[in-house]
Amino acid sequence: MFPCKEFQAVVLAAGGGSRMTELTRGQYKCLLPIGNLPMLWYPLQLLERVGFKEAIVIIAESMERNVSLALNDLNLKIKTDIVAVKNAEDLGTADSIRLIHEKIYTDFLVISCDLITDVDICEILNLYRKHNASITALMLPAPKVSDDFITPGPKNKQKPETDLIGICNETGRLIFLASASDFEETIEISQPFLKKYPSFTMHSRLMDSHLYVINKWILNFLVQNKNFTTLKGELLPYIVRKQFSKPPKQYVDDKNTSIVQTNSKDAIYRFAIEKPLDELIRKMSAYNDHDTDLEDTYHGDIIRCYAYVGDGKFGLRANTIQMYHLANTKISEWWNNDNNEQPSVPIIAPTATIRSTQIQDCRVDNNALIEEKTSLKHTHIGPHVTVESKTRISQSVLMESAIVKQRCIIQNCILGSGCIIEEGTELKDCIVGYKQVVPPGSQYSREVLTDADDLIVI
Amino acid sequence: MTNKKGNISEKSREEIKAEREAKKAAKAHAKAKAKSTKIPDKDPLNNNKSPSSDSIKNRTSNDTPETVTNKNIESSNKISVITKTSNTCEKDEKVVSEVSSEGKSKAELRAERRAKQEAQRAAKQQILSEKNKNKIKEENTNNNNNSNNNNKPATHTIDIVKNVSPKKTPKVNIHEINLFKHLYHERKQAIVNVPFVNSNIHPAIIRLGAQYANKIIVGSNARCVAFLAGVKQLIQDFERPPQADFIRGFEANLQESVAYLHHCRPLAVSMHNALKHLKWQMTQFSSSLSDVDVKNKLSNAIDTYIREQIELADKAISITIQTKISNGDVILTYGYSSLIHKILLDAHTAAKEFRVIVVDGRPWLEGKEQLRRLAKHGIECSYILINALSYIMPEVSKVFLGAHAILANGSVMSRVGTAQVALMARAFNIPVLVACETHKSCERVQTDSIVYNELGNADELAQDYGNGAQKSLLTNWRTKKFLNLLNIVYDVTPANLVTAVVTELAILPCTSVPVILRIKPSEI
Amino acid sequence: MEKEEICQYFNGIIKNEKDISAGMAAIRTLLKVLQYSKSETVQELRYCLQNAIDAMRSTENPVTAIASGSELFLRFITLTALDTPTFAECRGIMLHRGNMFYEKLVAARGKIAKVAAHFIKDGSKILTHSKSRVVLRAMKGAVESNKIFEVYVTCSSPDNSGEEMCQNLRKLGVSCTLILDSAMGYVMEQVDMVMVGAEGVAESGGIINKIGTYTLAMCAKEVKKPFYVLTESFKFSRIYPLNQVDLPNEFKYTASTLKKDLQKEHPLVDYTPPHYISLLFTDLGILTPSAVSDELIKLYL
């Protein structure tokens, strides 16, 4: 009966995985397997669980066929509307949202395809509804990487990026959002800011999980302002900063002033308008979100950003190799802890042939063949993989159609799709690239084995 | 048990090791068997199983002393595990049952099936299920554990299992007070099952429900205005289903929305009256009007209602009551009322000299908001909690109270604590004025606060108000069987405690308010 | 008519016709004003009448009854269709209604007396306060029914109007005792009921009467004696006092006293809250205090 829904879901899957180029050579980032399911399955599952019946998935044009096939295989109940964008490498997240703005007619939820979490979205939506927020973001505790966890591939000198997230203690509002790399040694906080929010916590161990519930007017604002390219990097900090500004005294659409003269600082208030009775209701209601000063509820702010901290829930963004590998390692532990219903995908696919007798804590996908006298521990085995006898594989990920010949020892590696590991190789903490053939009898440790020329993103 | 213990002492280390190896082999076989259940080479596997199952049986005796303590705790867990696996592999069960024959007991067969099913589970559960499997086999073979009996029917249906676990735990006290059982029951009746996202209900109403339930919108007037704003949105977006009358279709939709809101928080009297008014308006429309016209008319009706019944009425009441505020007065008010707030503000703007005492009551502590707003405007205020009322009352010259509703017998229904304030004022012979618009009148007659009320969240009483770092002593009140907490939201002040009611039509004694409604142009 | 004329006329009636209360006199004055007015429009007429009312209020007489009576008078005469072509006709209609109103009021006293007389039983002892024409009339009615009863009358300082009441009663043949104001508590246990008149009836159902009525009512309630008020319906007014202080000053003091320092002046009337009053006898019937508001609403809304 109602044409308009309350929320629409948008999944951003067009990314090329710029921080995991070794892996994205053979497979698009959103289809990389975690626990034998493509990465894209996890956010879609999350949406399906809370009750979304359809979602818009933004992908790069080149991925279209593969993604459609993969989604068909997954048998998800949620309907996906796949939107392919050209030149995905040049577009940022905000740009792609701007491209599909005509499809969006109400408040919407943006999830990045690399978000693996089990948080209950209902809580975030409720927080958004309660306060008529402009944006509500999900913050998850940054996943703890134990010291003995070794990422396959060469030692990474890259420090993981930390976000600085300031959340007001009393009201839960998000008042500061920046990346640690934006600052050299000091962070400046103005005195009016402290007066307004006398008690807030600056978190450095929280991660911005790139799950945002965004109000429609922000989309309108985004469409008008083409200088925002990314959500997390540019749009969100801008909106968070704008909470602090005061709306101009009387923002009436004065027809006498020409468009050129409008002050760009106040331009946002052209979009952030409240419904006429909202102010009256706020005045009459006995609610105040803070009691530290004499100000009205919400300090009279029209733009309000909230952050929901998912305490005690696991979550990570699998956008670096380290995180991706961590996800694979922990996925069985995490995903079944909370799952009350049946896992829709059996741990060991019925079409797989397993002749081995020592399989421990593994997931085996369709049509895999595992010969006898093999020992597999904590490994994810993709479809059509062949593992010949007398091999020992532990803590690894074998992607589609990988072939491991006899007498190999593979530990803590990621084997890309179509690769062939010849007999007698020993691989420790390595990444083997797409369709790479590792010559027999070789021994590698902490290396990336690909053709050097091929380290470009597809 | 004692037999098993004897067994332990008899076996040697080598024998135990051998048994362990055999068990491992059996496990691997079981897994392989599970994968190839359809392949008809089961018999040899089955045969392999029987000796291994015997050894397993003996092995379980070794495990018994370790696992006996965990048994009870994990038993319910295990039962649910069993049912899950039984559901996933029911097909397998049927197939296997044909194959296996011989003199094996039913229990052992079932045990084997279960072993196969559990082998398909995640690695971690396999480790758990090992222990579970051992327990099951042991129980089934022993037949002296009553959970065994429950197991057998449990594997067939989930429902029985769910009943089993609560049967085992002692009866939990649900902490409902007998005197108010009808209110708990009413709440259960009002439950509406609505999908969390993108349901049939309009988003504005869903948002409103969330805001009501979380006490973001509190107060009779605020809730009424918010409700009407939501309904306005509903009207704008409503699309007439084909071959149906606009009014009928809209009414049905409105009914659903109202039921949802009632589920979030019981409707206020002002909301009920607004709804009645709206419905009456709808019946006045002729059926020949176009949809757009009807929508406009309804929107206008809503705007008029808000403007006349709430905004203008508030203004009129404020003007009338100004004459009752003289210089040097000490005015006492309880909790937060938007109308009382407006009255005091207007009096202050008119340069009258008076001071205000705000009385507040837990757990809502709405008086703090009243205090903040008055203090912000520069009115001299004091703040007390309700237990200090008798101390402060001799200083007071008048008491102003807000109301949630006025009942047909002249009683005033308002936030809990109001009746207390009125009673205290009467004891000290201080006049009590209740300011209430006529749209809040209700046809109910209530002589006490029990027969109809709203139940709040009992856990709010257990919280220490403020940001106390200490935990309240009452945090675990639910564990104490005979302790109940009751959080009642409204109470009824009898008419004889109220000196006058100020409405937009006149200042009246409490008993005459229904008369006003009789002579006002009736809408029903 | 000029202000002085009005006042003169008004004072004349009060002085010469003892039997007419201030309120009735006011209404008669207004009728006169209406008759002799030379205004050409309804608005001007209304203005004229309002002036007259203000003039009367500025005389030395207690204002309560004047205020309520005039208000009701004005409402009554204009509560009709006044869309006749000429103004003269309008005036005629208003005059006619005014006279009707007056006649009804004159008859009011009789009606009240009749119902109240029933309540005066043979052999009963009644306590009354100060001088009230309606109570006198009621007792007259009781005497005519050959009832024998005793009356105690309070002196009611400062003007000792109780003495006059006592004389009038003795003329009727009722055995009457004059008591001090301070003795009302002493006497209370011996009487069967208390009957007083009223200068005004508030919307709450409480009454405004000569100072001392409130004390009398409190004593009566404490000793559990019924407290009856006899009053005509034109004395119903829309004020709603919450307590003694809340009573408007122009009711409590005469016009001349208002100019002085009120802290040192003694009020003439006090307010008796409704829960002390058992019943009100009016020409509209016998009412409980809470019904007064209902009647008022009917009259005014």
Side-chain angles (χ1 to χ4, degrees):
Chain A
M1 230 186 285
F2 276 116
C4 54
K5 300 197 285 265
E6 193 184 354
F7 293 110
Q8 280 178 281
V10 176
V11 181
L12 300 172
S18 50
R19 275 172 279 197
M20 37 203 305
T21 49
E22 296 89 335
L23 299 174
T24 52
R25 170 78 175 80
Q27 181 65 282
Y28 299 109
K29 176 178 126 182
C30 58
L31 295 177
L32 283 173
I34 295 183
N36 282 344
L37 291 162
M39 205 192 280
L40 193 51
W41 183 82
Y42 291 90
L44 287 175
Q45 238 284 333
L46 200 65
L47 292 173
E48 191 180 309
R49 255 203 284 176
V50 88
F52 278 96
K53 298 277 188 320
E54 39 185 47
I56 302 174
V57 181
I58 302 183
I59 52 170
E61 205 177 11
S62 42
M63 300 180 190
E64 195 167 352
R65 206 173 66 88
N66 291 23
V67 172
S68 321
L69 283 174
L71 284 176
N72 278 338
D73 286 337
L74 285 177
N75 285 331
L76 282 168
K77 282 197 233 104
I78 187 170
K79 267 187 0 177
T80 46
D81 177 12
I82 301 181
V83 175
V85 298
K86 300 193 192 13
N87 302 327
E89 318 82 64
D90 300 328
L91 289 179
T93 46
D95 289 329
S96 26
I97 303 267
R98 201 182 291 124
L99 276 179
I100 58 159
H101 79 269
E102 275 152 21
K103 285 187 178 247
I104 301 183
Y105 48 79
T106 177
D107 301 339
F108 58 103
L109 194 76
V110 173
I111 300 189
S112 173
C113 70
D114 53 21
L115 177 65
I116 319 284
T117 178
D118 73 339
V119 75
D120 191 1
I121 297 194
C122 295
E123 303 287 325
I124 308 172
L125 292 178
N126 256 343
L127 182 61
Y128 178 82
R129 283 173 185 154
K130 267 194 323 194
H131 298 287
N132 271 336
S134 313
I135 295 191
T136 304
L138 170 66
M139 305 296 172
L140 290 170
K144 289 198 196 53
V145 180
S146 55
D147 286 330
D148 52 0
F149 179 79
I150 306 171
T151 313
K155 267 215 182 106
N156 211 339
K157 295 182 206 97
Q158 245 188 0
K159 256 204 188 154
E161 202 183 273
T162 46
D163 297 320
L164 286 172
I165 298 168
I167 300 183
C168 177
N169 287 341
E170 213 182 335
T171 58
R173 276 173 76 170
L174 180 64
I175 53 179
F176 189 87
L177 183 64
S179 176
S181 47
D182 292 341
F183 303 100
E184 294 258 347
E185 282 183 14
T186 54
I187 303 175
E188 276 184 12
I189 299 181
S190 64
Q191 206 179 52
F193 185 90
L194 282 177
K195 254 198 211 154
K196 192 168 174 190
Y197 306 111
S199 166
F200 69 95
T201 309
M202 192 72 92
H203 296 269
S204 63
R205 290 214 201 92
L206 283 183
M207 160 183 86
D208 180 359
S209 56
H210 213 288
L211 191 155
Y212 308 121
V213 186
I214 303 181
N215 203 316
K216 175 79 168 56
W217 70 258
I218 293 190
L219 181 64
N220 298 341
F221 173 70
L222 186 62
V223 168
Q224 287 284 31
N225 287 293
K226 304 217 192 312
N227 45 342
F228 292 112
T229 48
T230 61
L231 286 178
K232 178 173 167 194
E234 291 170 27
L235 182 65
L236 231 67
Y238 180 76
I239 304 273
V240 169
R241 267 202 314 275
K242 270 301 179 186
Q243 281 181 103
F244 195 48
S245 66
K246 283 268 167 270
K249 280 298 170 180
Q250 265 182 345
Y251 215 84
V252 181
D253 243 332
D254 197 354
K255 296 195 180 63
N256 292 334
T257 55
S258 64
I259 311 269
V260 180
Q261 283 176 347
T262 46
N263 192 356
S264 61
K265 267 205 301 185
D266 297 333
I268 194 169
Y269 286 105
R270 199 171 269 251
F271 300 94
I273 35 176
E274 281 192 316
K275 292 202 216 59
L277 287 171
D278 274 349
E279 207 192 314
L280 178 65
I281 295 169
R282 259 217 311 277
K283 220 165 45 117
M284 283 182 164
S285 171
Y287 172 78
N288 198 332
D289 62 339
H290 64 279
D291 58 5
T292 44
D293 57 21
L294 287 182
E295 291 302 316
D296 287 329
T297 180
Y298 305 135
H299 291 277
D301 290 337
I302 301 179
I303 305 180
R304 303 185 277 273
C305 301
Y306 284 87
Y308 176 79
V309 180
D311 271 333
K313 303 276 183 184
F314 79 84
L316 53 78
R317 286 195 64 196
N319 52 2
T320 58
I321 298 185
Q322 184 193 41
M323 285 294 133
Y324 174 74
H325 198 64
L326 185 66
N328 265 314
T329 323
K330 297 277 188 181
I331 191 69
S332 15
E333 177 189 324
W334 286 343
W335 203 249
N336 286 313
N337 262 344
D338 89 301
N339 216 352
N340 293 330
E341 332 90 39
Q342 317 301 330
S344 50
V345 177
I347 308 277
I348 297 181
T351 51
T353 316
I354 301 184
R355 301 205 187 102
S356 165
T357 52
Q358 293 183 45
I359 295 196
Q360 190 187 0
D361 191 17
C362 290
R363 283 183 184 240
V364 181
D365 213 341
N366 288 326
N367 294 322
L369 172 61
I370 305 189
E371 295 289 356
E372 340 167 294
K373 302 209 186 72
T374 48
S375 161
L376 281 76
K377 287 199 199 119
H378 309 296
T379 304
H380 296 280
I381 298 180
H384 307 293
V385 162
T386 308
V387 177
E388 297 192 4
S389 47
K390 305 207 194 81
T391 47
R392 277 192 285 157
I393 310 184
S394 67
Q395 293 165 338
S396 299
V397 177
L398 279 68
M399 296 201 211
E400 187 178 358
S401 306
I403 300 178
V404 181
K405 299 261 170 83
Q406 296 187 16
R407 289 179 287 113
C408 292
I409 302 177
I410 300 185
Q411 190 189 348
N412 197 31
C413 293
I414 300 178
L415 304 185
S417 42
C419 68
I420 303 178
I421 314 289
E422 295 290 355
E423 299 174 12
T425 28
E426 270 184 41
L427 295 174
K428 189 166 168 349
D429 307 325
C430 292
I431 300 178
V432 180
Y434 174 61
K435 290 211 173 113
Q436 185 69 9
V437 177
V438 180
S442 39
Q443 276 190 353
Y444 290 107
S445 174
R446 303 223 74 176
E447 283 193 40
V448 176
L449 305 169
T450 60
D451 295 334
D453 308 327
D454 288 335
L455 276 177
I456 33 173
V457 179
I458 297 176
Chain B
M1 285 291 191
T2 45
N3 287 338
K4 305 273 165 46
K5 287 217 173 112
N7 279 346
I8 294 168
S9 53
E10 283 171 33
K11 288 212 169 76
S12 67
R13 207 176 262 169
E14 288 79 28
E15 283 178 55
I16 295 170
K17 269 195 191 151
E19 279 161 20
R20 275 199 194 126
E21 291 296 312
K23 186 193 169 200
K24 271 191 200 157
K27 284 273 156 36
H29 271 297
K31 273 181 235 148
K33 198 167 149 196
K35 285 185 192 79
S36 52
T37 44
K38 299 203 174 93
I39 303 168
D41 55 347
K42 270 192 202 121
D43 284 352
L45 288 174
N46 272 348
N47 290 332
N48 281 340
K49 200 99 171 55
S50 34
S52 58
S53 65
D54 288 332
S55 60
I56 293 170
K57 235 192 289 174
N58 290 334
R59 274 220 56 249
T60 59
S61 59
N62 292 338
D63 289 342
T64 332
E66 305 147 22
T67 55
V68 72
T69 47
N70 293 333
K71 210 195 300 178
N72 284 333
I73 301 169
E74 288 187 357
S75 57
S76 46
N77 182 21
K78 161 202 38 158
I79 294 174
S80 44
V81 165
I82 296 164
T83 34
K84 281 186 206 165
T85 54
S86 70
N87 275 340
T88 47
C89 304
E90 253 182 345
K91 272 192 288 178
D92 296 337
E93 240 184 9
K94 292 185 193 129
V95 173
V96 171
S97 58
E98 298 165 31
V99 177
S100 57
S101 50
E102 295 147 41
K104 276 194 219 152
S105 70
K106 258 194 187 171
E108 281 186 45
L109 283 173
R110 220 175 257 120
E112 286 170 26
R113 259 178 256 141
R114 257 182 240 121
K116 280 178 238 155
Q117 290 155 10
E118 278 156 9
Q120 294 191 17
R121 296 286 294 181
K124 196 173 184 181
Q125 274 194 328
Q126 277 183 347
I127 298 171
L128 258 182
S129 63
E130 259 181 64
K131 290 197 187 127
N132 290 340
K133 255 188 288 170
N134 296 337
K135 275 182 235 146
I136 298 158
K137 282 182 203 142
E138 175 205 39
E139 283 165 11
N140 284 337
T141 50
N142 290 340
N143 266 348
N144 61 357
N145 200 337
N146 56 356
S147 65
N148 185 25
N149 297 329
N150 293 334
N151 272 342
K152 289 195 180 123
T155 51
H156 292 300
T157 49
I158 301 181
D159 301 10
I160 302 179
V161 170
K162 285 203 177 133
N163 289 335
V164 162
S165 337
K167 258 192 237 160
K168 282 177 154 192
T169 57
K171 184 151 194 280
V172 175
N173 182 13
I174 41 178
H175 289 284
E176 282 186 10
I177 290 103
N178 275 334
L179 199 57
F180 290 92
K181 266 219 158 66
H182 56 287
L183 295 178
Y184 292 104
H185 179 72
E186 190 268 333
R187 275 284 84 195
K188 283 190 202 126
Q189 298 287 76
I191 291 181
V192 167
N193 263 329
V194 149
F196 191 76
V197 144
N198 296 337
S199 60
N200 224 2
I201 314 234
H202 191 275
I205 303 285
I206 302 256
R207 192 165 295 200
L208 205 56
Q211 287 174 337
Y212 282 163
N214 288 299
K215 314 276 186 349
I216 307 277
I217 298 186
V218 192
S220 188
N221 275 340
R223 280 169 52 174
C224 186
V225 174
F227 174 64
L228 288 174
V231 172
K232 240 174 111 170
Q233 193 69 22
L234 198 69
I235 294 173
Q236 294 290 10
D237 297 333
F238 183 67
E239 267 185 17
R240 185 158 70 94
Q243 290 153 4
D245 188 26
F246 184 90
I247 300 286
R248 297 283 162 270
F250 182 67
E251 256 180 30
N253 202 290
L254 191 60
Q255 203 52 42
E256 262 183 51
S257 308
V258 167
Y260 176 74
L261 288 176
H262 189 71
H263 155 68
C264 294
R265 191 175 166 200
L267 289 188
V269 169
S270 54
M271 288 161 71
H272 269 301
N273 289 345
L275 188 63
K276 257 200 296 195
H277 173 87
L278 202 62
K279 284 193 177 154
W280 175 75
Q281 286 280 343
M282 290 201 285
T283 58
Q284 300 288 322
F285 296 155
S286 71
S287 45
S288 57
L289 286 175
S290 72
D291 282 355
V292 181
D293 278 341
V294 174
K295 283 190 185 184
N296 283 338
K297 275 196 157 190
L298 275 176
S299 284
N300 285 339
I302 289 181
D303 284 333
T304 316
Y305 188 85
I306 294 179
R307 201 178 51 244
E308 286 181 7
Q309 300 287 351
I310 300 179
E311 290 182 11
L312 289 180
D314 282 357
K315 261 201 207 137
I317 293 177
S318 180
I319 292 173
T320 320
I321 220 172
Q322 295 303 319
T323 53
K324 296 294 174 205
I325 303 179
S326 11
N327 287 339
D329 266 352
V330 177
I331 299 178
L332 184 106
T333 178
Y334 179 77
Y336 176 82
S337 165
S338 49
L339 182 51
I340 299 288
H341 172 67
K342 184 180 164 60
I343 291 170
L344 293 173
L345 227 57
D346 289 345
H348 183 74
T349 324
K352 292 221 172 146
E353 283 166 22
F354 59 96
R355 64 184 182 93
V356 179
I357 299 178
V358 179
V359 182
D360 207 0
R362 281 189 64 214
W364 296 60
L365 289 176
E366 291 170 328
K368 278 208 285 193
E369 186 56 20
Q370 179 84 292
L371 180 69
R372 180 194 70 78
R373 293 184 195 200
L374 293 176
K376 190 171 175 195
H377 278 272
I379 300 177
E380 198 181 323
C381 321
S382 318
Y383 177 86
I384 58 165
L385 287 182
I386 197 167
N387 45 8
L389 198 55
S390 59
Y391 170 76
I392 207 83
M393 201 50 96
E395 289 180 25
V396 175
S397 48
K398 294 186 178 73
V399 175
F400 283 7
L401 300 171
H404 173 87
I406 297 228
L407 306 171
N409 62 343
S411 314
V412 176
M413 182 164 151
S414 184
R415 182 70 75 227
V416 67
T418 316
Q420 189 71 50
V421 173
L423 185 63
M424 190 66 84
R426 166 63 86 206
F428 282 81
N429 242 354
I430 294 168
V432 172
L433 269 99
V434 172
C436 177
E437 303 95 333
T438 48
H439 76 94
K440 287 184 190 165
S441 57
C442 175
E443 274 141 21
R444 225 168 40 221
V445 173
Q446 250 181 279
T447 48
D448 60 46
S449 315
I450 300 174
V451 67
Y452 184 84
N453 212 318
E454 183 186 329
L455 285 172
N457 187 4
D459 290 314
E460 286 176 6
L461 291 182
Q463 287 165 5
D464 251 336
Y465 67 97
N467 307 321
Q470 300 167 301
K471 263 181 21 170
S472 161
L473 291 168
L474 282 175
T475 359
N476 294 322
W477 66 275
R478 279 184 209 269
T479 55
K480 305 200 182 347
K481 214 156 63 133
F482 293 111
L483 179 63
N484 289 327
L485 261 58
L486 176 68
N487 188 359
I488 274 281
V489 180
Y490 295 114
D491 71 11
V492 170
T493 310
N496 60 343
L497 293 179
V498 177
T499 320
V501 172
V502 187
T503 64
E504 67 264 27
L505 297 170
I507 301 189
L508 311 161
C510 229
T511 44
S512 299
V513 175
V515 177
I516 285 278
L517 302 170
R518 269 208 303 273
I519 65 165
K520 216 166 78 145
S522 155
E523 288 153 2
I524 314 296
Chain C
M1 276 168 87
E2 293 304 330
K3 197 165 164 222
E4 300 85 45
E5 267 188 80
I6 297 171
C7 291
Q8 228 180 9
Y9 184 77
F10 179 60
N11 285 329
I13 303 180
I14 293 199
K15 215 168 22 165
N16 296 333
E17 296 174 47
K18 290 283 176 176
D19 208 22
I20 301 210
S21 66
M24 305 274 282
I27 293 175
R28 272 245 307 258
T29 319
L30 285 178
L31 271 173
K32 200 78 172 190
V33 170
L34 190 59
Q35 231 174 354
Y36 289 118
S37 119
K38 295 184 196 68
S39 25
E40 291 301 315
T41 62
V42 179
Q43 277 287 73
E44 204 192 325
L45 190 60
R46 201 181 176 81
Y47 185 69
C48 221
L49 288 169
Q50 200 60 44
N51 271 348
I53 295 173
D54 291 332
M56 285 192 284
R57 280 164 86 126
S58 62
T59 60
E60 287 301 308
N61 300 301
V63 163
T64 330
I66 301 173
S68 56
S70 323
E71 177 78 31
L72 276 167
F73 177 75
L74 274 177
R75 277 195 77 89
F76 191 76
I77 58 173
T78 49
L79 200 69
T80 170
L82 285 174
D83 48 1
T84 52
T86 64
F87 179 68
E89 276 186 45
C90 268
R91 212 150 60 106
I93 294 175
M94 288 207 277
L95 250 168
H96 176 68
R97 282 182 75 81
N99 280 322
M100 233 170 61
F101 189 65
Y102 187 70
E103 297 308 314
K104 250 201 331 192
L105 288 187
V106 167
R109 225 183 258 169
K111 276 197 236 163
I112 299 171
K114 216 159 66 155
V115 281
H118 286 296
F119 276 68
I120 302 178
K121 297 202 182 48
D122 220 356
S124 56
K125 296 200 180 83
I126 306 173
L127 175 59
T128 183
H129 182 63
S130 181
K131 183 172 71 124
S132 167
R133 296 181 193 89
V134 188
V135 178
L136 193 59
R137 186 72 194 278
M139 293 188 176
K140 190 161 149 203
V143 165
E144 281 158 17
S145 330
N146 290 327
K147 294 201 187 141
I148 306 201
F149 53 94
E150 256 186 71
V151 182
Y152 294 90
V153 185
T154 58
C155 240
S156 75
S157 50
D159 54 358
N160 289 339
S161 41
E163 281 180 13
E164 221 184 298
M165 180 76 165
C166 216
Q167 279 166 17
N168 288 338
L169 278 171
R170 283 208 191 97
K171 272 191 230 152
L172 288 176
V174 178
S175 82
C176 172
T177 320
L178 194 62
I179 62 168
L180 286 176
D181 289 339
S182 18
M184 54 171 84
Y186 176 82
V187 162
M188 192 59 78
E189 59 190 34
Q190 300 169 27
V191 301
D192 297 314
M193 66 169 100
V194 181
M195 253 193 198
V196 298
E199 290 186 34
V201 180
E203 184 151 12
S204 54
I207 58 165
I208 298 166
N209 200 17
K210 185 84 188 292
I211 190 105
T213 318
Y214 184 36
T215 324
L216 192 58
M218 278 201 277
C219 285
K221 186 152 183 120
E222 183 57 36
V223 188
K224 313 272 190 306
K225 305 287 176 186
F227 189 91
Y228 299 128
V229 175
L230 281 69
T231 158
E232 298 104 317
S233 64
F234 73 84
K235 290 190 179 146
F236 285 17
S237 133
R238 298 225 70 193
I239 59 167
Y240 201 118
L242 300 175
N243 48 18
Q244 307 302 324
V245 180
D246 207 22
L247 207 52
N249 280 338
E250 57 259 15
F251 286 19
K252 289 197 269 202
Y253 309 100
T254 57
S256 48
T257 354
L258 275 174
K259 302 182 194 111
K260 301 186 214 159
D261 180 9
L262 290 174
Q263 295 278 46
K264 304 218 171 58
E265 293 302 316
H266 202 279
L268 294 174
V269 295
D270 64 20
Y271 167 70
T272 308
H275 56 271
Y276 291 115
I277 302 173
S278 312
L279 287 175
L280 286 118
F281 295 87
T282 70
D283 48 323
L284 300 170
I286 308 181
L287 309 170
T288 59
S290 40
V292 169
S293 177
D294 296 3
E295 291 300 323
L296 262 172
I297 291 170
K298 275 197 249 169
L299 285 173
Y300 275 93
L301 288 175

